[in-house]
């Protein structure tokens, strides 16, 4: 065979990196053929590399998991915009703040419900009246069914007529009173004016500055000027008298006392003539007086400066206190102005909103109608009681009962409607969650207030409620994942997912795919599909808006034959592993036939590196380790350009006994890469006792691969090819010097680029160009 199998490593690619390393290996092969160190390289390739126990792996059963990696954003599954169901009315209570956790049914806000309360009371009164009318109609029917009314019943009917007439009169008077109050706006105007006056007073207090601070500032300025003047006086005294100390004054005084004592002693001694100590006493006294005067002047000036400094410090303290008090007063005045403005706004809203007054007036008018209907019913009752009972009367009584029952049903429906309207003035939390935005405040109508939002998606979308909230139940968070179109086919609901977030890089969270959206979206010309997954947040650490890295487990096969991914190699287009042992003859031929097909691309690559055009008739037509000296063979190429001579047809890299070193290169170098006649160099790059075994691959995991056929449990395989292969290739690629790779190549070129032939035949021919 023309090429030692030790060189096979240049054509054997790890399965997981076949595309990236394809040209690296092709380049390495060219360098080996073209390098100057070919003899040394071939010698190393013929050596057998020892295999350590750590390079072997025993084939066995295991589990293989296939996954898809992507990223997404954690979000709350439910975002609600809460609004009052009733229109009108001002907000009277607001118990929700942004970020507040609330429970289902918790009261969040209330509207002014004075009108609704009146309607509820009126509806309750209507139900009582309807029930009373029903009872009266039922009693009338029962009485008529018994016969003629008694005198007592007649008297009762007349009393009921009087009561009904009184009720009509009272209802009419009440209506007139309500109408007068409705038309008289004096009270409401007085409230608005009072609120306006309060606001004016508060604004005046706010805008009226305090004189205290001004006086303090002037006093401080005056005292600072006095201090400066007295400091100058002190400097003048010190310049005039110098630095006289108390010790100097005391010493002068002591000298004066000593001189005076001597003077008195001499005078008392009865000596005659003038006292010799007179001059000494005079001088000592003069010196003492001068020093004492100077010391006193300087000390007085210093004491005055100290007093002035204390006065200035006291002035500064008083000014700071008065400024702080004035600031506090201004703040209180500002708060009073804000409160007065709110009170004025409320008074004006109540003055302009006449809904409640109109409802009260309408209810008073309805009361008149009801009282008149009751009067008519009482009059009819008396008339019926005074007449003999007839079948028509009974029928009329029954009709009255049915009508009264209908009135009760209508009154109860009105009460339910009023109670519903009353309940709609209270806004409650429909779920457990957190407040994300509050769009309003007390004293304003819903929808007219400012927004206080946490930046949630709902508030930024333009459609917002009076209060916005999200469901933040620890078990309800979900993740919005984006999956590319090449991976979406393996994603389906129910698959498990693991997540990591930047906030907790060392912690993994779990979840489950719940939905795969069928409609794609295109972002930056990339087609992606949205996949939703739940996430277990029982720890409460995750927050909406966090970015999550996700790994989706798309498939898993248990108890299948597996090998490490690094142990899988490719020979041509055949995937396989190197198995310890001896391969049977039948398997050898099958392996050779399989390996020979579909590898002409490398022959073309070889030709490209050699600089010529090569046509592979059968590709690599033989398997590794099965060639003999007689079965190989190749047709040498020719050099067709100037600068070299034609090589013989049998020259170059021919594998059989007929191959020799007769190929010639142009210039002064010849190409001698022929195998020794009759010698086989198969499989010398693989350690003794190993062979290449094609396999069928199933599920591809992160670090392991499922093998569906080609191996059996218990077989031992090589994890990686020996390092000697790569080392030899590197040495060959770095070799320089004479011979074909050096001087011969520059002088003449490639003479006779031969074809590579494996066992099983098949010749490849091609020509090199000089």
């Amino acid at each position: 065979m023309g090429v030692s199998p030790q060189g096979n490593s240049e054509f054997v690619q790890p399965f997981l990196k076949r595309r990236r390393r394809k040209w690296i290996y092709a380049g390495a092969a060219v360098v080996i053929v073209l390098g100057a160190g070919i003899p040394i390289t071939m010698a190393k390739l013929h050596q057998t590399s020892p295999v350590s126990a750590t390079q072997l792996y025993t084939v066995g059963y295991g589990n293989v998991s296939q996954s898809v990696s992507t990223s997404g954003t954690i979000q709350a599954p439910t975002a609600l915009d809460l609004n009052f169901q009733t229109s009108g009315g001002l907000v009277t209570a607001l118990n929700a703040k942004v970020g507040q956790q609330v429970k289902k049914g918790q009261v969040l806000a209330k509207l002014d419900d004075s009108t609704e309360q009146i309607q509820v009371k009126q509806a309750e009164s209507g139900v009582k009246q309807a029930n009373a009318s029903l009872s009266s109609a039922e009693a009338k029917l029962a009485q008529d069914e018994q016969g003629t009314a008694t005198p007592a019943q007649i008297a009762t009917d007349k009393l009921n007529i009087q009561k009904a007439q009184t009720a009509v009169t009272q209802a009419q008077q009440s209506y007139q009173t309500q109408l007068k109050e409705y038309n008289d706006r004096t009270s409401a105007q007085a409230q608005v004016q009072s609120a306006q006056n309060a606001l004016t007073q508060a604004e005046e207090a706010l805008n009226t500055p305090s004189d205290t601070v001004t006086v303090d500032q002037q006093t401080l300025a005056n005292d600072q000027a006095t201090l400066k003047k007295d400091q100058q006086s002190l400097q003048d005294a010190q310049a005039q008298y110098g630095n006289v100390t108390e010790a100097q004054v005391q010493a002068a005084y002591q000298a004066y006392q000593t001189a005076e004592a001597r003077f008195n002693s001499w005078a008392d001694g009865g000596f005659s003539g003038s006292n010799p100590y007179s001059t000494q006493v005079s001088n000592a006294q003069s010196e003492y007086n001068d020093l004492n005067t100077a010391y006193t002047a300087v000390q007085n000036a210093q004491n005055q400066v100290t007093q002035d400094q204390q006065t200035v410090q006291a002035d500064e303290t008083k000014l700071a206190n008065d400024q702080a008090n004035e600031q506090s007063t201004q703040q209180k005045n500002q708060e009073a102005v804000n409160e007065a403005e709110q009170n004025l706004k409320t008074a004006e809203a109540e003055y302009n909103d006449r809904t409640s007054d109109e409802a009260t007036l309408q209810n008073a008018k309805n009361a008149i109608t009801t009282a008149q209907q009751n009067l008519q019913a009482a009059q009819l009752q008396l008339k019926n009681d005074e007449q003999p009972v007839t079948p028509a009367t009974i029928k009329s009584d029954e009709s009255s009962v049915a009508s009264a029952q209908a009135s009760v049903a209508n009154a109860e429906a009105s009460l339910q409607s009023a109670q519903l309207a009353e309940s709609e003035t209270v806004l409650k939390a429909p779920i457990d969650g957190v407040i994300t935005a509050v769009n309003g405040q007390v004293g304003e109508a819903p929808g007219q207030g400012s927004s206080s939002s946490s930046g949630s998606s709902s508030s930024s979308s333009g459609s917002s409620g009076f209060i916005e909230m999200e469901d933040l139940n620890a078990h309800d968070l979900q993740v919005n994942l984006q999956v590319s179109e090449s991976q979406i086919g393996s994603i389906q609901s129910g698959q498990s997912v693991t997540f990591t977030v930047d906030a907790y890089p060392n912690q993994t969270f779990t979840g489950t795919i719940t939905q795969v959206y069928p409609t794609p979206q295109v972002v930056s010309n990339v087609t992606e599909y949205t996949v939703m997954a739940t996430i277990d947040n029982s720890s409460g650490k995750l927050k909406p808006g966090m970015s999550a890295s996700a790994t989706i487990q798309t498939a898993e096969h248990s108890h299948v034959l597996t090998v490490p991914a690094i142990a899988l190699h490719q020979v041509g287009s055949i995937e396989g592993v190197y198995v310890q042992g001896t391969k049977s003859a039948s398997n050898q031929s099958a392996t050779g036939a399989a390996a020979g097909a579909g590898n002409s691309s490398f022959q073309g690559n070889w030709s490209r590196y050699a600089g010529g055009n090569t046509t592979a008739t059968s590709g690599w037509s033989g398997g590794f380790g099965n060639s003999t000296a007689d079965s190989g063979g190749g047709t040498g190429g020719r050099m067709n350009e100037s600068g070299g001579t034609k090589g013989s047809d049998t020259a170059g890299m021919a594998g059989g006994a007929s191959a020799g070193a007769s190929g010639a290169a142009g210039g002064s170098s010849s190409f001698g890469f022929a195998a020794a006649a009759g010698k086989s160099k198969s499989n010398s790059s693989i350690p003794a006792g190993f062979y290449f075994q094609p396999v069928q691959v199933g599920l591809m995991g992160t670090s392991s691969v499922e093998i569906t056929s080609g191996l059996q449990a218990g077989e031992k395989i090589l994890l990686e090819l020996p390092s000697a292969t790569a080392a030899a290739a590197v040495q060959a690629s770095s070799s320089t010097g004479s011979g074909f790779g050096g001087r011969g190549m520059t002088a003449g070129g490639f003479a006779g680029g031969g074809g590579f032939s494996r066992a099983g035949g098949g010749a490849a021919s091609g020509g090199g160009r000089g």
Side-chain angles (χ1 to χ4, degrees):
M1 188 169 182
V3 179
S4 170
Q6 178 70 17
N8 290 349
S9 62
E10 283 78 29
F11 312 118
V12 177
Q13 308 172 42
F15 178 76
L16 298 180
K17 299 182 179 178
R18 70 187 72 152
R19 295 181 183 272
R20 183 166 60 88
R21 300 177 63 183
K22 177 178 180 180
W23 291 110
I24 296 176
Y25 284 116
V30 172
V31 173
I32 290 176
V33 175
L34 301 182
I38 291 176
I40 298 176
T41 301
M42 294 303 297
K44 290 186 177 181
L45 294 179
H46 295 168
Q47 297 174 1
T48 300
S49 301
V51 176
S52 65
T54 58
Q55 292 179 282
L56 292 177
Y57 176 81
T58 303
V59 179
Y61 290 94
N63 300 332
V64 180
S65 297
Q66 186 170 293
S67 62
V68 172
S69 297
T70 182
S71 61
T73 303
I74 298 175
Q75 64 186 31
T78 305
L80 302 176
D81 293 337
L82 307 181
N83 291 293
F84 290 100
Q85 299 302 311
T86 182
S87 60
L90 303 179
V91 178
T92 59
L94 186 56
N95 305 321
K97 296 181 180 180
V98 174
Q100 177 183 357
Q101 297 279 351
V102 296
K103 295 293 185 180
K104 179 179 180 181
Q106 182 174 337
V107 175
L108 305 180
K110 291 183 179 180
L111 292 178
D112 181 10
D113 62 346
S114 56
T115 301
E116 286 75 15
Q117 288 181 356
I118 293 174
Q119 292 174 348
V120 169
K121 292 180 180 179
Q122 292 174 349
E124 290 174 346
S125 177
V127 171
K128 292 179 180 179
Q129 292 178 0
N131 283 324
S133 298
L134 175 59
S135 298
S136 178
E138 290 175 342
K140 174 73 166 55
L141 174 60
Q143 179 181 344
D144 289 343
E145 287 177 342
Q146 293 178 358
T148 306
T150 62
Q153 181 62 43
I154 297 299
T156 300
D157 292 343
K158 292 179 180 181
L159 180 60
N160 288 337
I161 290 175
Q162 293 177 357
K163 292 180 179 179
Q165 288 174 339
T166 301
V168 170
T169 301
Q170 292 176 346
Q172 290 173 343
Q173 292 176 350
S174 177
Y175 174 73
Q176 292 299 324
T177 300
Q178 294 295 335
L179 181 61
K180 183 178 179 180
E181 292 179 356
Y182 179 79
N183 294 327
D184 185 7
R185 310 302 307 281
T186 304
S187 176
Q189 289 175 342
Q191 292 180 353
V192 173
Q193 187 60 45
S194 177
Q196 181 63 59
N197 294 338
L199 176 59
T200 301
Q201 294 175 0
E203 289 175 341
E204 289 177 353
L206 177 63
N207 297 326
T208 301
S210 174
D211 295 336
T212 303
V213 173
T214 304
V215 173
D216 291 344
Q217 291 173 340
Q218 185 60 45
T219 301
L220 175 61
N222 294 336
D223 291 340
Q224 286 175 337
T226 301
L227 172 61
K228 185 175 181 181
K229 178 181 177 182
D230 291 340
Q231 286 174 336
Q232 185 60 46
S233 298
L234 175 60
Q235 292 177 0
D236 294 342
Q238 289 174 340
Q240 179 181 356
Y241 299 111
N243 188 17
V244 180
T245 64
E246 183 178 3
Q248 289 176 322
V249 175
Q250 291 295 334
Y253 178 76
Q254 186 64 38
Y256 167 63
Q257 292 295 322
T258 300
E260 187 176 27
R262 289 175 180 175
F263 177 84
N264 293 333
S265 176
W266 192 90
D268 294 340
F271 298 104
S272 61
S274 60
N275 194 325
Y277 295 105
S278 298
T279 302
Q280 185 179 3
V281 170
S282 176
N283 292 337
Q285 183 178 12
S286 176
E287 183 178 0
Y288 164 69
N289 290 335
D290 291 342
L291 290 175
N292 187 54
T293 300
Y295 177 76
T296 301
V298 172
Q299 287 301 313
N300 289 339
Q302 181 63 57
N303 292 337
Q304 186 62 45
V305 169
T306 302
Q307 182 179 354
D308 292 343
Q309 289 175 339
Q310 293 175 350
T311 301
V312 169
Q313 184 177 2
D315 292 342
E316 291 175 345
T317 301
K318 186 174 185 302
L319 175 60
N321 292 335
D322 290 342
Q323 286 176 335
N325 292 335
E326 183 177 6
Q327 184 177 3
S328 176
T329 302
Q330 286 294 95
Q331 184 177 359
K332 292 180 180 178
N333 291 338
Q334 183 61 56
E335 293 175 354
V337 169
N338 295 340
E339 183 178 359
E341 288 177 346
Q342 185 61 48
N343 292 338
L344 176 59
K345 186 183 296 185
T346 302
E348 289 175 343
E350 292 177 353
Y351 179 82
N352 295 326
D353 185 8
R354 309 210 65 191
T355 304
S356 178
D357 295 338
E358 290 173 353
T360 301
L361 183 62
Q362 184 61 42
N363 291 334
K365 188 175 181 180
N366 294 338
I368 295 177
T369 302
T370 301
Q372 290 174 343
Q373 292 174 350
N374 292 337
L375 175 59
Q376 292 175 359
Q379 292 171 342
L380 180 59
Q381 182 68 41
L382 176 60
K383 182 178 179 180
N384 292 335
D385 289 343
E386 290 178 340
Q387 294 177 355
V389 178
T390 63
T393 300
I394 298 299
K395 187 173 181 180
S396 176
D397 291 343
E398 292 174 345
S399 177
S400 297
V401 170
S403 177
Q405 290 174 339
S407 297
V408 169
N410 290 335
E412 290 176 343
S414 297
L415 176 59
Q416 293 177 356
S417 177
Q419 291 172 337
L420 178 61
E422 164 67 14
S423 67
E424 290 175 348
T425 63
V426 178
L427 193 60
K428 297 181 180 180
I431 60 173
D432 294 345
V434 66
I435 303 300
T436 58
V438 178
N439 302 314
Q441 58 184 355
V442 174
E444 294 180 342
Q448 297 180 355
S450 59
S451 174
S452 174
S453 174
S454 64
S456 64
S457 58
S458 60
S459 63
S460 61
S461 63
S463 175
S464 59
F466 177 70
I467 294 177
E468 301 170 33
M469 65 178 296
E470 288 183 354
D471 175 14
L472 288 190
N473 188 298
H475 301 282
D476 287 344
L477 290 183
Q478 61 185 16
V479 183
N480 186 323
L481 302 172
Q482 301 301 319
V483 178
S484 65
E485 62 177 324
S486 62
Q487 298 174 317
I488 194 64
S490 62
I491 308 298
Q492 60 185 356
S493 297
Q495 292 174 340
S496 60
V497 193
T498 57
F499 302 92
T500 58
V501 295
D502 293 340
Y504 310 103
N506 298 324
Q507 186 169 355
T508 300
F509 301 87
T510 60
T512 305
I513 299 297
T514 58
Q515 189 174 8
V516 179
Y517 286 83
T519 305
Q521 56 183 353
V522 179
V523 180
S524 300
N525 295 326
V526 177
T527 302
E528 296 180 335
Y529 288 81
T530 298
V531 176
M532 302 301 296
T534 60
I535 187 168
D536 182 10
N537 188 30
S538 56
S539 63
K541 294 181 177 179
L542 301 178
K543 307 294 181 185
M546 286 184 172
S547 297
S549 298
T551 301
I552 306 172
Q553 183 174 325
T554 57
E556 183 177 14
H557 289 177
S558 301
H559 194 66
V560 294
L561 209 62
T562 64
V563 299
I566 60 173
L568 197 63
H569 300 274
Q570 182 167 337
V571 176
S573 62
I574 304 301
E575 299 164 1
V577 297
Y578 291 96
V579 182
Q580 187 179 42
T582 302
K583 195 174 186 68
S584 63
S586 60
N587 287 337
Q588 288 179 7
S589 61
T591 302
N599 293 288
S600 61
S601 61
F602 189 86
Q603 183 81 343
N605 294 334
W606 176 275
S607 172
R608 183 171 66 84
Y609 274 86
N613 300 319
T614 301
T615 301
T617 58
S618 63
W620 295 93
S621 57
F624 288 172
N626 298 308
S627 62
T628 64
D630 297 330
S631 63
T635 301
R638 293 194 305 270
M639 181 174 68
N640 299 321
E641 301 295 336
S642 61
T645 61
K646 295 182 179 179
S648 64
D649 290 341
T650 58
M653 299 180 67
S658 62
S662 59
S668 60
S669 296
S670 62
F671 179 71
F673 197 166
K679 293 182 179 181
S680 173
K681 296 181 284 184
S682 63
N683 282 343
S684 61
S685 66
I686 304 174
F690 288 86
Y691 63 90
F692 180 78
Q693 172 62 45
V695 297
Q696 293 293 328
V697 176
L699 198 63
M700 298 291 297
T702 304
S703 59
S704 60
V705 181
E706 177 188 5
I707 302 299
T708 58
S709 65
L711 288 179
Q712 294 181 357
E715 291 183 306
K716 294 185 180 295
I717 62 174
L718 272 175
L719 288 177
E720 294 181 314
L721 291 179
S723 59
T725 302
V730 171
Q731 179 175 350
S733 66
S734 61
S735 299
T736 58
S738 60
F740 179 80
R743 184 168 58 84
M745 185 173 184
T746 58
F750 197 110
F756 282 59
S757 178
R758 300 290 186 184
S765 63
R769 299 178 66 86

